[in-house]
């Protein structure tokens, strides 16, 4: 078997920190990423050599330009989620896309919902959960007097924490995109520390259960 080459995602025009964290979780387990392709236009990707790509995360803002992939890209489905946000399920339910997915089954799905719906379409699946579960636990305790609540409006907090809560979002404002871009493919803990340090805060409450902080 020859040398295997790996491709990774980029997220053009987007500023969702969660996307980058999921790429960090995958890429720390791979030897190297030789090319990056936009997640939402993967169907147009043209690798310089045959490559493998891990299909993890949220699919898709533009499902019609996501699948199928070029024969130069071999997908590995793990942590794969199809959104109800738009027409993604309608597109991924098409016969030609179902047949494409079946070429690479079983499909590792991030959640039981995605696994169940794909199974109903005749695709073999299993629930792999999210690649972020492979990230190491934090080995130290933040020393702070504030609580960051990320996308957590409405989450009930104890009174003593609520008084200290500062609400934030994982969607990075435009003025911070360049700073995050420099860090997004390093380590998850570094990205989180950037937010904490910029805000001068410490304890982090993240609404999404996908992330292991």
């Amino acid at each position: 078997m020859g040398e295997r080459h790996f491709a990774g995602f980029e997220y053009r025009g987007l500023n969702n920190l969660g996307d980058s964290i999921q790429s960090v979780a995958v890429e720390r387990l791979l030897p190297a990423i030789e090319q990056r392709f936009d997640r939402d236009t993967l169907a147009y990707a043209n690798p310089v050599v045959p490559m493998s790509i891990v299909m993890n995360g949220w699919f898709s803002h533009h499902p019609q330009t996501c699948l199928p992939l070029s024969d130069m890209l071999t997908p590995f489905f793990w942590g794969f989620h199809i959104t109800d946000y738009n027409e993604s399920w309608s597109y991924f339910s098409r016969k030609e896309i179902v047949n494409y997915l079946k070429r690479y089954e079983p499909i590792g799905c991030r959640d039981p919902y995605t696994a169940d719906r794909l199974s109903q379409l005749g695709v073999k699946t299993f629930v792999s959960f999210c690649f972020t579960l492979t990230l190491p636990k934090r080995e130290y305790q933040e020393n702070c007097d504030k609580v960051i609540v990320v996308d957590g409006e409405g989450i009930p907090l104890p009174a003593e924490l609520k008084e200290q809560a500062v609400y934030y979002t994982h969607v990075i404002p435009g003025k911070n995109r360049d700073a995050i871009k420099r860090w997004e493919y390093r380590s998850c803990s570094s990205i989180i520390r950037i937010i904490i340090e910029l805000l001068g805060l410490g304890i982090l409450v993240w609404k999404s259960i996908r992330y292991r902080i």
Side-chain angles (χ1 to χ4, degrees), residues 148-158 162 165-168 205-208:
I148 304 173
V149 181
V150 182
D151 291 329
E153 293 79 0
I155 292 180
L157 296 175
K162 191 171 184 180
V166 176
Y167 292 86
Y168 200 62
V205 177
W206 204 306
K207 182 177 181 181
S208 173

Side-chain angles (χ1 to χ4, degrees), residues 18 20-29 130-138 186-189 191-192 210-213:
S20 299
I21 290 176
Q22 294 195 63
S23 285
V24 167
V26 171
E27 293 173 16
R28 60 189 286 274
L29 303 176
C130 185
F131 251 111
T132 56
L133 293 175
T134 67
L135 293 169
K137 287 186 176 180
R138 187 173 61 194
R186 297 190 182 180
S187 74
C188 177
S189 58
I191 297 172
I192 300 302
R210 298 198 310 262
Y211 309 110
R212 181 179 180 177
I213 305 301

Side-chain angles (χ1 to χ4, degrees), residues 33-161:
I33 298 298
E34 298 184 34
Q35 274 190 281
R36 295 192 182 279
F37 302 106
D38 179 44
R39 177 195 58 189
D40 293 317
T41 57
L42 283 176
Y44 300 143
N46 187 26
V48 295
V49 296
M51 293 186 176
S52 298
I53 189 166
V54 180
M55 299 288 286
N56 75 304
W58 189 95
F59 292 85
S60 166
H61 286 288
H62 305 290
Q64 297 86 348
T65 56
C66 183
L67 291 179
L69 304 183
S70 160
D71 289 339
M72 294 284 282
L73 271 179
T74 299
F76 176 69
F77 290 89
W78 188 285
F80 185 67
H81 170 77
I82 300 176
T83 182
D84 275 332
Y85 172 73
N86 52 25
E87 70 281 6
S88 287
W89 271 110
S90 176
Y91 180 76
F92 285 116
S93 298
R94 292 183 179 182
K95 182 178 180 180
E96 64 271 23
I97 302 303
V98 169
N99 287 340
Y100 179 80
L101 292 172
K102 292 179 74 171
R103 286 172 53 188
Y104 300 99
E105 61 187 12
I107 304 299
C109 299
R110 195 173 74 184
D111 53 277
Y113 176 73
T114 299
D116 288 345
R117 288 199 62 172
L118 285 178
S119 294
Q120 292 170 18
L121 294 171
V123 180
K124 295 179 182 178
T125 66
F126 65 98
V127 181
S128 64
F129 297 106
C130 185
F131 251 111
T132 56
L133 293 175
T134 67
L135 293 169
K137 287 186 176 180
R138 187 173 61 194
E139 297 179 355
Y140 61 93
Q141 181 65 43
E142 294 286 354
N143 181 18
C144 66
D145 59 359
K146 295 291 183 182
V147 177
I148 304 173
V149 181
V150 182
D151 291 329
E153 293 79 0
I155 292 180
L157 296 175
E160 61 272 20
L161 293 183

Side-chain angles (χ1 to χ4, degrees), residues 190-210:
S190 293
I191 297 172
I192 300 302
R193 280 200 296 272
I194 289 174
I195 296 177
I196 292 173
E197 291 168 3
L198 286 176
L199 296 177
L201 306 174
I203 297 177
L204 181 64
V205 177
W206 204 306
K207 182 177 181 181
S208 173
I209 62 173
R210 298 198 310 262

Side-chain angles (χ1 to χ4, degrees), residues 9-32:
F9 292 158
E10 62 182 9
Y11 306 96
R12 296 175 189 165
L14 303 177
N15 58 349
N16 183 335
L17 182 61
D19 291 330
S20 299
I21 290 176
Q22 294 195 63
S23 285
V24 167
V26 171
E27 293 173 16
R28 60 189 286 274
L29 303 176
L30 300 176

Side-chain angles (χ1 to χ4, degrees), residues 173-193:
K175 64 181 180 181
N176 287 332
R177 290 184 192 178
D178 290 341
I180 294 300
K181 186 68 175 178
R182 292 194 299 270
W183 287 87
E184 64 182 354
Y185 295 115
R186 297 190 182 180
S187 74
C188 177
S189 58
S190 293
I191 297 172
I192 300 302
R193 280 200 296 272

